[in-house]
C-alpha cells in the first residue's frame, strides 16, 4: 500500500512540474493543426532563428506570416530565469524491490544568458533507480550542461545526452522542482536556493 501511495505522489509531482507546459485548449488547437511548419517560408524562418534567444523578425517576415495566415499566438519570449548559485535539497525515488530511496542533493549552477553548467551531487544512490552515471560519479557529482527558457531548465549529461536528462521548473525564484527523465524509476528532485 505504501508503494502505491509513493507512486501516486510521484505522478502528481511530475504532473505538477509539467503543468505550465500547455493547457487543454493549446492541445486541442495543436491537434487541429498537425503540421509543424505552415509553409517552406515558415520552416526557413524557424531554422534561421533556432537556438537564438533574441530572434530576428523583420517587417517582411511579419507580412509573409500574415499572407500565409500562420496559426499560433504571437507570444513574446520570457527572459530566462537566472539559476546561478548554490542549491540544496532532497531527491526521492524508488530503488530495489520498489523500496523508497531518498537522499540529499547539492547543485552548483553557473549561467550566462540562457545557457549554463551545473554540478549535481546526489547522495545515497547506490541501490537507487537513478542513471548509472550518477552512481558512477558518486560524491564528485555529475557535470551537466543546461538551457533555460523562462522558468524551465533542461539539463543533460554532455558526453551522452540520452544517458541523463533532468527537467526543472523554477518556482517563486527560490525553488527548483524537477525529474530525471532517464531514470529506471521516477525520481523527483527538490532544490532550494541558498542565500549568499
Amino acid at each position: 500500500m505504501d508503494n502505491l501511495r509513493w507512486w501516486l505522489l510521484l505522478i502528481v509531482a511530475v504532473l505538477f512540474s509539467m503543468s505550465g507546459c500547455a493547457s487543454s485548449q493549446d492541445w486541442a488547437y495543436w491537434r487541429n493543426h498537425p503540421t509543424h511548419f505552415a509553409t517552406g517560408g515558415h520552416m526557413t524562418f524557424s531554422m534561421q532563428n533556432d537556438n537564438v534567444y533574441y530572434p530576428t523578425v523583420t517587417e517582411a517576415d511579419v507580412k509573409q506570416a500574415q499572407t500565409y495566415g500562420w496559426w499560433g499566438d504571437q507570444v513574446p519570449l520570457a527572459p530566462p530565469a537566472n539559476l546561478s548559485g548554490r542549491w540544496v535539497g532532497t531527491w526521492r525515488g524508488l530503488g530495489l524491490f520498489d523500496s523508497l530511496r531518498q537522499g540529499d542533493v547539492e547543485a552548483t549552477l553557473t549561467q550566462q544568458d540562457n545557457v549554463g553548467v551545473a554540478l549535481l551531487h546526489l547522495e545515497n544512490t547506490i541501490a537507487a533507480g537513478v542513471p548509472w552515471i550518477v552512481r558512477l560519479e558518486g560524491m564528485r557529482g555529475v557535470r551537466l550542461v543546461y538551457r533555460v527558457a523562462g522558468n524551465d531548465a533542461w539539463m543533460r549529461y554532455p558526453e551522452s545526452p540520452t544517458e541523463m536528462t533532468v527537467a526543472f521548473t523554477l518556482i517563486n525564484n527560490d525553488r527548483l522542482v524537477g525529474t530525471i527523465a532517464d531514470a529506471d524509476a521516477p525520481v523527483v528532485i527538490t532544490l532550494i536556493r541558498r542565500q549568499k
Side-chain angles (χ1 to χ4, degrees), residues 83-90 105-109 168-177 189-195:
L83 304 180
S84 293
R86 184 168 171 258
W87 298 78
V88 295
T90 59
V105 180
E106 185 173 328
T108 303
L109 281 65
F168 279 107
T169 298
L170 180 66
I171 301 170
N172 295 332
N173 204 35
D174 64 351
R175 187 169 173 232
L176 279 173
V177 178
I189 300 174
T190 305
L191 296 169
I192 303 294
R193 191 191 302 259
R194 293 298 297 257
Q195 299 300 326

Side-chain angles (χ1 to χ4, degrees), residues 14-188:
V14 169
L15 291 175
F16 174 74
S17 69
M18 296 171 56
S19 64
C21 296
S23 68
S24 59
Q25 283 182 323
D26 291 335
W27 285 114
Y29 190 70
W30 292 336
R31 271 194 292 279
N32 292 331
H33 300 85
T35 58
H36 183 71
F37 298 110
T39 64
H42 180 198
M43 184 175 94
T44 303
F45 172 80
S46 295
M47 297 303 284
Q48 289 171 344
N49 286 289
D50 188 35
N51 295 328
V52 177
Y53 175 65
Y54 298 104
T56 55
V57 181
T58 65
E59 196 166 316
D61 292 327
V62 174
K63 286 181 183 177
Q64 188 179 34
Q66 291 170 342
T67 302
Y68 289 142
W70 290 349
W71 51 272
D73 297 328
Q74 184 176 0
V75 179
L77 291 172
N82 187 354
L83 304 180
S84 293
R86 184 168 171 258
W87 298 78
V88 295
T90 59
W91 69 270
R92 294 175 68 100
L94 296 178
L96 295 174
F97 309 111
D98 287 338
S99 60
L100 175 61
R101 301 293 302 205
Q102 59 188 15
D104 293 332
V105 180
E106 185 173 328
T108 303
L109 281 65
T110 306
Q111 181 178 328
Q112 183 173 359
D113 295 327
N114 66 328
V115 294
V117 177
L119 187 61
L120 186 66
H121 300 268
L122 279 77
E123 294 182 6
N124 195 23
T125 60
I126 297 300
V130 297
W132 174 248
I133 191 64
V134 174
R135 289 177 263 174
L136 182 65
E137 293 297 335
M139 287 306 295
R140 289 184 296 189
V142 180
R143 183 182 170 276
L144 304 171
V145 293
Y146 68 91
R147 182 179 180 132
V148 181
N151 286 340
D152 297 318
W154 295 270
M155 301 184 182
R156 62 184 178 84
Y157 183 59
E159 295 168 30
S160 178
T162 58
E163 190 170 346
M164 182 172 180
T165 304
V166 187
F168 279 107
T169 298
L170 180 66
I171 301 170
N172 295 332
N173 204 35
D174 64 351
R175 187 169 173 232
L176 279 173
V177 178
T179 58
I180 300 178
D182 307 302
D184 296 335
V187 175
V188 176

